[in-house]
């Protein structure tokens, strides 16, 4: 149906028989009897049309009021709001609530704002702290950890809370998600933001951080992300890191990020059976890691200290599987191996009766080769090979998916 304004209306139409008409009809039919029932016509029945409008779907404030810039008269107030996001200033403009039609936008005004703040956080390590305002109700709604902190049975009534293990930029990114429902990630702070999201149990932000890391994964940062994914217990990200490291092992081992991994991650990489790299590259990467580890432990950089920080991980390097030239010109002259170890490895290469070694002597298997069958079927007729083009395209698509 269409109303008087020309707008469409959803309606339901019912036809109701009037009670008086029904009553008169029944009386007349009973008086005439059986003789007149076949020849007489019943009086016309009157119907009343009743139209019932269906209920329209309720609209939220965001649907009713489209997001647009406020009028020119309120330009100063909007500029003050933007300044508040950056400089943590209180909004002095009156009736700022009327500038934003949705609760999401009004809630975003409270982000990093001292206005009505009932708690403050001192975030960052000593010497690099930043004092940030917060609102207990908003934080408790966004995080179960904050809810227990402010409204739980063991809640402490503190006006200032110190958080030395979270970077200020990462904590601000988490607050922005809680207050504004916006995810703002950067390559240099995404790991710290992931740590904050894990600590305060904000799962959707943590998932966004993992997705960001997966999309930016490369051979240069695969080793670092492998270490962090194991720390944060993200198995999907861990698997993706292993795939990149296996396929581009030499690039990953020569990257600067390899020297930043922890000892457990170093051992897991050196044990990797599918590592697709020459063993001399693995040996040199381990020595580079040992040099940086000496600096982290405030030890003088020397051959003895390098072997000390490597510990038993040195024997995970499969030195006996190196080419003889690589061993003679590289590992044998590095000074890391003892004289007895060097002699035993030379005998391993040359002697018929090989000595027992502490090093792993089996070569790594490397990646399993992926075979692409170009022709699913073929026929040889009159000196010609015949095949279908669709078979070639499907085979190439399967090969690309496997890569």
């Amino acid at each position: 149906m269409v109303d008087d304004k020309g707008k469409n209306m959803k309606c339901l139409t019912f036809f109701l028989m009037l009670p008086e008409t029904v009553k008169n009809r029944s009386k007349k039919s009973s008086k005439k009897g059986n003789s007149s029932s076949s020849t007489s016509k019943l009086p016309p029945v009157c119907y009343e049309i009743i139209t019932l409008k269906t209920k329209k779907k309720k609209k939220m404030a965001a649907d009713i009021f489209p997001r647009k810039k406020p009028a020119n008269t309120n330009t100063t107030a909007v500029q003050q709001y933007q300044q508040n996001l950056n400089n943590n200033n209180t909004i002095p403009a009156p009736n700022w609530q009327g500038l934003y039609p949705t609760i999401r936008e009004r809630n975003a005004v409270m982000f990093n704002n001292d206005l009505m703040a009932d708690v403050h956080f001192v975030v960052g390590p000593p010497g690099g702290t930043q004092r940030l305002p917060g609102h207990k109700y908003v934080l408790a709604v966004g995080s179960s950890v904050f809810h227990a902190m402010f409204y739980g049975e063991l809640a402490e009534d503190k006006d200032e809370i110190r958080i030395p293990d979270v970077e200020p930029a990462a904590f601000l990114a988490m607050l922005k998600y809680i207050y504004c429902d916006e995810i703002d990630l950067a390559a240099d702070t995404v790991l710290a933001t992931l740590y904050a999201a894990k600590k305060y149990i904000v799962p959707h932000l943590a998932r966004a951080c993992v997705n960001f890391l997966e999309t930016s994964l490369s051979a240069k940062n695969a080793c670092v992300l492998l270490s962090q994914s194991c720390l944060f217990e993200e198995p999907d990200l861990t698997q993706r890191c292993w795939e990149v490291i296996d396929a581009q092992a030499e690039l990953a081992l020569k990257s600067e990020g390899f020297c930043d991994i922890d000892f457990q991650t170093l051992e897991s990489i050196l044990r990797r059976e599918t590592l697709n790299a020459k063993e001399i590259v693995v040996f040199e990467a381990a020595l580079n890691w040992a040099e940086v580890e000496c600096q982290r432990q405030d030890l003088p950089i020397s051959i003895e200290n390098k072997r000390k920080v490597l510990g038993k991980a040195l024997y995970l390097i499969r030195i006996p599987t190196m080419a003889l030239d690589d061993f003679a010109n590289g590992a044998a002259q590095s000074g890391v191996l003892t004289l007895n170890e060097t002699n035993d490895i030379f005998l391993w290469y040359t002697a018929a009766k090989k000595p027992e070694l502490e090093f792993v002597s089996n070569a790594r298997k490397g990646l399993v080769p992926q075979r692409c069958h170009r022709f699913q079927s073929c026929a040889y007729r009159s000196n010609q090979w015949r095949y279908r083009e669709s078979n070639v395209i499907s085979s190439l698509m399967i090969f690309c998916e496997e890569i």
Side-chain angles (χ1 to χ4, degrees):
M1 293 185 68
V2 181
D3 60 1
D4 54 352
K5 296 182 180 180
K7 297 181 179 179
N8 294 329
M9 293 168 40
K10 293 182 180 179
C11 62
L12 298 176
T13 304
F14 296 92
F15 297 91
L16 301 180
M17 185 181 294
L18 297 177
E20 295 181 357
T21 305
V22 178
K23 185 176 181 181
N24 295 335
R25 182 182 178 184
S26 60
K27 288 181 180 180
K28 290 180 181 180
S29 61
S30 60
K31 288 179 181 180
K32 289 184 178 182
N34 298 332
S35 59
S36 61
S37 61
S38 59
T39 58
S40 62
K41 295 182 179 181
L42 294 176
V45 180
C46 297
Y47 295 91
E48 182 179 1
I49 299 176
I50 301 177
T51 301
L52 301 178
K53 295 181 181 180
T54 57
K55 295 182 179 180
K56 294 183 179 180
K57 184 180 179 181
K58 293 182 179 180
K59 293 185 177 181
M60 303 300 292
D63 300 328
I64 300 174
F65 303 100
R67 298 187 66 180
K68 59 183 180 180
K69 294 183 179 180
N72 294 333
T73 55
N74 296 327
T75 303
T76 304
V78 176
Q79 291 176 351
Q80 290 174 351
Y81 165 57
Q82 297 296 337
Q83 185 180 7
N84 166 65
L85 293 181
N86 299 326
N87 300 332
N88 192 22
N89 294 328
T90 304
I91 297 178
N95 193 24
W96 59 266
Q97 294 88 343
L99 299 177
Y100 308 98
T102 65
I103 184 63
R104 177 177 175 271
E105 292 175 302
R106 292 191 294 272
N107 205 36
V109 176
M110 295 294 100
F111 166 61
N112 197 21
N113 192 348
D114 278 312
L115 183 64
M116 295 184 288
D118 51 1
V119 66
H120 285 80
F121 300 94
V122 180
V123 186
T129 59
Q130 185 175 350
R131 194 170 187 267
L132 304 174
H135 305 79
K136 293 182 179 180
Y137 168 74
V138 180
L139 296 172
V141 170
S143 167
S144 59
V145 175
F146 283 127
H147 180 272
M149 185 184 301
F150 300 135
Y151 301 103
E153 296 180 356
L154 302 177
E156 298 181 4
D157 189 12
K158 292 183 178 180
D159 295 333
E160 189 173 275
I161 299 175
R162 296 187 176 274
I163 307 176
D165 58 332
V166 179
E167 296 181 7
F171 196 80
L172 272 174
M174 183 183 67
L175 292 184
K176 187 173 184 179
Y177 171 76
I178 295 175
Y179 278 81
C180 311
D181 200 22
E182 296 178 5
I183 298 176
D184 187 9
L185 300 176
D188 54 344
T189 59
V190 62
L191 286 174
T193 304
L194 177 60
Y195 173 77
K198 287 282 188 177
K199 178 178 180 179
Y200 292 98
I201 311 181
V202 187
H204 297 289
L205 179 60
R207 185 69 254 172
C209 293
V210 173
N211 293 337
F212 183 93
L213 292 173
E214 288 180 351
T215 55
S216 60
L217 183 61
S218 65
K220 294 182 179 180
N221 58 11
C223 295
V224 175
L225 294 184
L226 174 66
S227 176
Q228 297 297 323
S229 64
C230 296
L231 176 64
F232 296 133
E233 298 180 353
E234 291 290 342
D236 294 338
L237 181 58
T238 302
Q239 180 61 29
R240 288 287 296 116
C241 292
W242 278 125
E243 292 174 0
V244 174
I245 293 173
D246 286 341
Q248 306 178 56
E250 293 193 2
L251 289 176
L253 294 175
K254 293 178 180 179
S255 65
E256 295 180 0
F258 178 79
C259 298
D260 297 330
I261 61 178
D262 58 280
F263 184 76
Q264 288 74 17
T265 305
L266 174 70
E267 285 186 318
S268 62
I269 293 177
L270 296 181
R271 284 196 183 96
R272 191 73 174 172
E273 192 71 27
T274 55
L275 208 61
N276 190 26
K278 295 181 179 179
E279 208 62 33
I280 186 62
V281 176
V282 179
F283 179 79
E284 292 173 353
L287 292 185
N288 293 334
W289 179 90
E291 182 176 346
V292 177
E293 183 65 17
C294 289
Q295 297 176 358
R296 284 193 288 262
Q297 297 184 14
D298 295 330
L299 296 175
I301 300 176
S302 62
I303 296 177
E304 292 77 12
N305 288 333
K306 287 182 181 180
R307 184 178 177 109
K308 178 181 178 181
V309 296
L310 281 173
K312 294 183 179 180
L314 177 64
Y315 298 106
L316 298 176
I317 305 174
R318 308 187 182 193
I319 296 179
T321 64
M322 291 182 185
L324 182 58
D325 293 341
D326 292 338
F327 173 72
N329 298 322
Q333 299 184 28
S334 64
V336 176
L337 303 178
T338 63
L339 183 59
N340 290 334
E341 291 172 344
T342 304
N343 292 335
D344 289 342
I345 294 174
F346 268 119
L347 290 176
W348 174 271
Y349 283 110
T350 57
K353 185 178 180 181
K354 302 183 182 302
E356 295 184 0
L357 301 176
E358 294 188 54
F359 296 92
V360 180
S361 57
N362 298 325
R364 303 180 194 271
K365 296 179 180 179
L367 291 177
V368 178
Q370 302 292 329
R371 292 179 174 85
C372 177
H373 299 280
R374 181 177 181 184
F375 307 109
Q376 293 184 356
S377 63
C378 60
Y380 180 76
R381 294 180 181 179
S382 64
N383 297 327
Q384 293 180 355
W385 287 100
R386 298 181 180 181
Y387 64 92
R388 294 181 180 178
E389 184 179 358
S390 59
N391 294 343
V392 178
I393 296 175
S394 60
S395 299
L396 290 176
M397 291 177 64
I398 295 173
F399 177 73
C400 294
E401 290 178 357
E402 291 178 351
I403 293 179

